[in-house]
Amino acid sequence: MDRKEVGHETCKPVKLLEELKWPKAPSEIWQEPFDHIRGHCERIAKTTEPTNVTDFCDFFLDYQYMEVQEDLLAFGFPKALEAWARQELGHPDPRRFKGTWHFEGMWEALAYRPIYPEFFNKQQYRAMTDFFVHVLLARMGREEFLSFQGSEASPYEWIDLHARINLAVSYSRTNLGRMVELQNTWNGCVRGSMVVSTAL
């Protein structure tokens, strides 16, 4: 497998898909849209054409505020994670996605309405957070220098990403286990920094 193929594989939340038993697109969409405008859920569920990633903005607004169609969430959420990872790591797949979105709404929705235990079990939640750390470390691993200058320096991208992951994990309202996930994320970042430094 060449480097490009490895990069594409990095973007797929395979463990989460396994824990969700490789969900299929729902045959019927009954999810009510937050803004009363239908269409985005139907487009996300389509597998015959690229998904516009801006549709995930409305998808996460629905998740945050509306009754959730769980089979749609199981199919659409891993798809959103893949789109996010491809954008973060610079591995686009025009056959699956088009457009750009900064995914702020995803982090806000996960912080406002924790996905575990309402929708995910512990194994599924672990697979999700492990994927967050996996993508963050992959993004950190792309750095080629040890010193940077200016507010546009590339480390600010993954520092901001780390802050967003912390937001989604630490603002949860259920149990202490989420704080353990937060600490695991931070420890993973530290280990990743050491790997980058050693390699250079």
Side-chain angles (χ1 to χ4, degrees), residues 53-78:
V53 296
T54 57
D55 280 334
F56 291 120
C57 175
D58 293 314
F59 176 81
F60 283 107
L61 282 173
D62 297 345
Y63 169 83
Q64 188 168 347
Y65 296 113
M66 308 297 289
E67 180 182 359
V68 171
Q69 180 178 342
E70 294 193 35
D71 58 346
L72 176 63
L73 177 66
F75 176 80
F77 183 66

Side-chain angles (χ1 to χ4, degrees):
M1 186 179 294
D2 62 26
R3 185 173 180 178
K4 183 176 181 181
E5 289 175 327
V6 171
H8 282 291
E9 289 300 316
T10 302
C11 299
K12 296 179 181 179
V14 174
K15 183 61 177 178
L16 177 58
L17 288 167
E18 290 175 351
E19 292 292 344
L20 293 170
K21 303 187 185 305
W22 297 95
K24 303 294 184 183
S27 57
E28 179 184 359
I29 304 295
W30 56 261
Q31 174 77 58
E32 289 295 325
F34 172 72
D35 61 2
H36 306 291
I37 300 175
R38 305 199 70 91
H40 56 279
C41 291
E42 289 78 4
R43 290 190 294 270
I44 289 171
K46 279 187 176 181
T47 58
T48 57
E49 59 185 66
T51 299
N52 192 323
V53 296
T54 57
D55 280 334
F56 291 120
C57 175
D58 293 314
F59 176 81
F60 283 107
L61 282 173
D62 297 345
Y63 169 83
Q64 188 168 347
Y65 296 113
M66 308 297 289
E67 180 182 359
V68 171
Q69 180 178 342
E70 294 193 35
D71 58 346
L72 176 63
L73 177 66
F75 176 80
F77 183 66
K79 192 174 184 179
L81 292 186
E82 180 185 347
W84 161 72
R86 289 189 178 282
Q87 190 164 287
E88 288 291 338
L89 300 178
H91 293 297
D93 186 348
R95 297 168 301 177
R96 288 182 55 73
F97 304 105
K98 61 183 179 181
T100 58
W101 183 49
H102 294 295
F103 285 87
E104 298 98 329
M106 180 174 75
W107 306 115
E108 293 170 3
L110 292 174
Y112 182 87
R113 188 177 190 177
I115 204 165
Y116 165 79
E118 186 174 2
F119 301 110
F120 279 8
N121 62 34
K122 287 184 179 180
Q123 291 74 25
Q124 293 161 350
Y125 180 73
R126 167 66 69 178
M128 179 193 77
T129 54
D130 283 352
F131 183 70
F132 289 160
V133 175
H134 175 70
V135 173
L136 177 56
L137 294 180
R139 175 62 189 85
M140 293 170 66
R142 292 169 51 193
E143 301 297 347
E144 298 178 352
F145 304 99
L146 293 177
S147 62
F148 305 86
Q149 291 183 340
S151 60
E152 300 299 319
S154 57
Y156 285 110
E157 296 177 10
W158 53 260
I159 291 171
D160 178 68
L161 176 58
H162 178 238
R164 293 184 184 279
I165 292 175
N166 286 354
L167 174 71
V169 174
S170 64
Y171 280 13
S172 304
R173 300 167 294 184
T174 55
N175 59 36
L176 186 61
R178 297 181 184 282
M179 296 306 293
V180 174
E181 298 291 352
L182 174 62
Q183 187 62 45
N184 288 342
T185 301
W186 172 248
N187 290 342
C189 292
V190 172
R191 289 195 299 270
S193 297
M194 293 172 64
V195 169
V196 172
S197 300
T198 302
L200 294 173

